[in-house]
Every structure is written in C-alpha cells, then in structure tokens.
Amino acid sequence: MTIRDLVVLPFGLRTSAQLKKEMPTANGYGFFYVMEEFPDEVVLGADDFHLDFRLSIMRHTSDANTELLITTAVRVHNLLGRGYIQL
C-alpha cells in the first residue's frame, strides 16, 4: 500500500491513510466500507472519482467443509480509472 500511495499521490487520488481517516470505524474494515451484509456474505467497497471498487466475501458451508468465495468488481469512470486498473 505504501508504493500504491506514492504512485497515486501526484494524480490527486486519496491515500490509504486519508481513506482510513474518512471511514467511521464501526462501518468498515481497513479503508473499505461495508456496503451490504447478509448471513453468508459481506460486500465491502470504496467509491472515488476515478473508480468504484467492490469486494464480496461469501461463505459456502456443506457437510464436508466450508469454502470462501472472494470476488472483486470495479467500475471505472474515466481514463485515470482505466489506467489505474491496467497497472
């Protein structure tokens, strides 16, 4: 994250420290907000002017074991967002 913060700073993107300051501690993890919560899934995310990011963590339990399915989704808003994702 330190390298990411140094790279994005000249482009006016918020650093991880800035995102953490903006986050109410009871409403997120790290710098991701809890967008939705279900019995077997939590959807975390963060929105910015260049992109919106979502992280889904879903638990699937069977008689034999428990599995976690982790999925990410990104919606880009502009050229900066496209460039950020391509890095």
Side-chain angles (χ1 to χ4, degrees):
M1 288 309 296
T2 302
I3 294 170
R4 179 251 180 221
D5 288 345
L6 291 172
V7 170
V8 302
L9 198 56
F11 298 101
L13 300 180
R14 294 179 290 178
T15 64
S16 56
Q18 290 169 320
L19 290 167
K20 285 179 187 177
K21 280 184 192 176
E22 297 169 8
M23 165 93 41
T25 55
N27 204 21
Y29 299 95
F31 51 83
F32 295 119
Y33 289 96
V34 176
M35 301 297 208
E36 295 185 78
E37 197 167 359
F38 305 98
D40 288 321
E41 181 183 21
V42 63
V43 179
L44 306 171
D47 295 342
D48 211 333
F49 72 94
H50 66 301
L51 58 79
D52 298 339
F53 176 80
R54 298 293 181 272
L55 171 69
S56 166
I57 304 170
M58 183 180 289
R59 177 182 57 202
H60 176 74
T61 304
S62 68
D63 291 338
N65 58 19
T66 299
E67 299 174 330
L68 289 180
L69 175 65
I70 301 172
T71 306
T72 59
V74 176
R75 175 183 295 153
V76 297
H77 298 297
N78 50 39
L79 286 175
L80 180 59
R82 284 184 182 85
Y84 183 89
I85 290 301
Q86 290 181 4
L87 288 177

